[in-house]
Amino acid sequence: MDAKDDAAGRSGKADDEPLQCVVDMDTSSAPPAEQFDLFRSWHQGVADAELLQDQSHSFPAHETVWDLGTLGVMFLELPGNAYRCRWRWRHLKNPSVDNWYLSLPLSKGRHPGNWQVVKTTLQSFAEPYECMMEDDALLALFLPRDLPFIQSSRIEIREESKRFLADYVLLLYRSLPDLKAVDIPHIATATTNLLAACLLPSHERVTEAQRVIDAVIVERAAKIIAKNLSDRNLTPDRLCRDLGVSRSRLYRIFESAGGVSNYIRHKRLIKTRDILADSLDGRPISTVAGEWGFTDPSAYSRMFRKEFGITPKEARAEGWRGAQAATLQHIGHAESRAHTLSGLLLRNSFGP
């Protein structure tokens, strides 16, 4: 292998590696009385932090930053109300950078990791800005100054667009551990396009922004479902908690599949179908069905026949010969209902 091939091989390997955060800092490395000063030093040159109230005499904070090429994502865990801590964030008069950033102060939800957005603002380090902070965390998306749709020094964002952006940035942050280096250019482009849709609003752009967000939710939900398909505690309510969306919204984005419960059931039926078609697996049909959550043999047989056009016994006997026609017919039916990007993703995932 020559040097050129070796370099290409190393580059391909790097592209396939999981995305790593470029900054990971924690104030726990300093004594409690020095923790706020350490936190303050993290943002030297762009903003200043001033402690206004501190009854705990410590400032536990953890900051991670992810590099997405032209964009950056920061997640900052803060003391919040639990530490009775209040502080001020203020832009410098002559900052070293003039980037824009979308800021999402967060509060803790009922379940661990289920953050609730307090508000959404778009700020520039080059413009005066000051706010009081008592939040549990802060999520920020950093943008280059030269984006064509944010050239004005003052930008007003509609509340509807703020909700779209908040949903997307939260989903983007939750998806970071699943990304690879090769994904970054595509993610940056998609994110920039979504921002343009929300900051240059029209009915068509807002609708398209909603489709993008729904598609991201569908992809994350599909991964969670695939990972936990055999878990009988996999319910719509659990998905809502994991995804941070309401049940009505979860149903709406899975509507083309007949709802999320129907989607999960279909995936489980496919699993049993594949097992029954395997001549090396001779377990009783009831055992196979029970493994994937179908505890009533009669109900399972009816659902199986409705889904694939034959009974579980026939599927085992035939080794699934000729049944692909029934599956293709089902996919065609799903396709007729898929008029959105999320519907398209759902339709594509109906395959084995």
Side-chain angles (χ1 to χ4, degrees):
M1 178 183 292
D2 59 27
K4 183 177 180 181
D5 291 337
D6 184 51
R10 289 197 304 270
S11 175
K13 183 178 179 181
D15 285 346
D16 197 47
E17 291 180 351
L19 178 66
Q20 301 291 331
C21 64
V22 294
V23 174
D24 190 345
M25 300 185 294
D26 199 307
T27 59
S28 62
S29 61
E34 300 174 13
Q35 289 180 357
F36 185 80
D37 288 337
L38 176 60
F39 166 77
R40 186 182 182 189
S41 71
W42 294 349
H43 310 102
Q44 188 174 7
V46 295
D48 187 33
E50 179 185 358
L51 192 60
L52 303 176
Q53 176 185 346
D54 180 18
Q55 298 182 26
S56 65
H57 308 293
S58 65
F59 195 87
H62 182 202
E63 180 175 285
T64 52
V65 179
W66 305 75
D67 182 6
L68 303 184
T70 57
L71 310 176
V73 175
M74 178 190 76
F75 186 76
L76 181 59
E77 293 185 72
L78 296 164
N81 288 324
Y83 282 76
R84 299 187 298 279
C85 182
R86 193 163 180 260
W87 55 286
R88 178 189 288 122
W89 169 269
R90 179 171 50 207
H91 289 175
L92 299 179
K93 289 185 178 180
N94 297 299
S96 57
V97 297
D98 61 356
N99 293 64
W100 289 89
Y101 66 99
L102 193 70
S103 174
L104 279 68
L106 306 172
S107 64
K108 292 180 179 177
R110 294 182 180 180
H111 304 280
N114 187 14
W115 298 101
Q116 306 295 320
V117 179
V118 177
K119 61 181 177 180
T120 304
T121 60
L122 181 64
Q123 306 294 340
S124 168
F125 284 119
E127 299 295 326
Y129 179 68
E130 180 177 310
C131 67
M132 305 300 175
M133 297 287 290
E134 296 178 288
D135 305 291
D136 297 310
L138 177 70
L139 180 60
L141 175 67
F142 295 97
L143 319 167
R145 182 74 187 187
D146 58 356
L147 290 177
F149 51 86
I150 51 174
Q151 290 301 302
S152 172
S153 61
R154 300 288 182 182
I155 296 177
E156 298 293 331
I157 312 177
R158 295 169 53 188
E159 288 302 316
E160 184 181 30
S161 296
K162 286 182 180 180
R163 289 194 295 271
F164 291 161
L165 289 173
D167 285 344
Y168 178 76
V169 175
L170 271 172
L171 288 165
L172 176 61
Y173 169 70
R174 291 171 181 148
S175 302
L176 289 175
D178 298 325
L179 296 180
K180 296 182 179 179
V182 71
D183 299 322
I184 299 309
H186 309 293
I187 295 296
T189 299
T191 303
T192 302
N193 290 340
L194 178 63
L195 286 164
C198 290
L199 299 182
L200 300 174
S202 68
H203 177 72
E204 291 77 13
R205 288 193 176 102
V206 169
T207 299
E208 185 58 34
Q210 182 64 68
R211 288 174 179 165
V212 172
I213 294 170
D214 286 352
V216 175
I217 296 174
V218 166
E219 287 191 277
R220 290 198 69 246
K223 288 182 179 180
I224 294 172
I225 290 169
K227 185 177 180 180
N228 300 278
L229 196 57
S230 63
D231 187 348
R232 296 188 184 184
N233 294 319
L234 179 62
T235 63
D237 287 338
R238 175 180 165 184
L239 278 174
C240 289
R241 292 196 300 269
D242 291 348
L243 295 168
V245 300
S246 67
R247 182 154 184 165
S248 60
R249 184 171 189 185
L250 186 67
Y251 178 82
R252 178 175 60 76
I253 63 176
F254 275 89
E255 189 173 5
S256 60
V260 67
S261 294
N262 186 64
Y263 177 86
I264 294 172
R265 182 169 56 249
H266 176 81
K267 288 296 185 181
R268 286 172 170 168
L269 286 169
I270 286 178
K271 284 291 185 182
T272 65
R273 180 202 72 181
D274 293 344
I275 293 171
L276 293 176
D278 184 359
S279 60
L280 299 178
D281 193 329
R283 289 177 295 165
I285 291 176
S286 59
T287 300
V288 174
E291 179 184 358
W292 296 96
F294 301 105
T295 55
D296 184 335
S298 297
Y300 166 69
S301 182
R302 288 195 300 271
M303 286 186 287
F304 192 99
R305 181 165 190 148
K306 182 178 180 181
E307 196 76 19
F308 304 118
I310 60 175
T311 67
K313 289 182 179 180
E314 291 170 338
R316 166 159 281 174
E318 296 178 10
W320 202 239
R321 289 192 301 269
Q324 287 298 324
T327 302
L328 291 174
Q329 182 180 4
H330 182 88
I331 293 175
H333 179 59
E335 185 174 16
S336 68
R337 297 175 297 178
H339 301 295
T340 65
L341 180 56
S342 60
L344 175 64
L345 292 172
L346 286 169
R347 184 200 67 197
N348 290 345
S349 66
F350 262 95

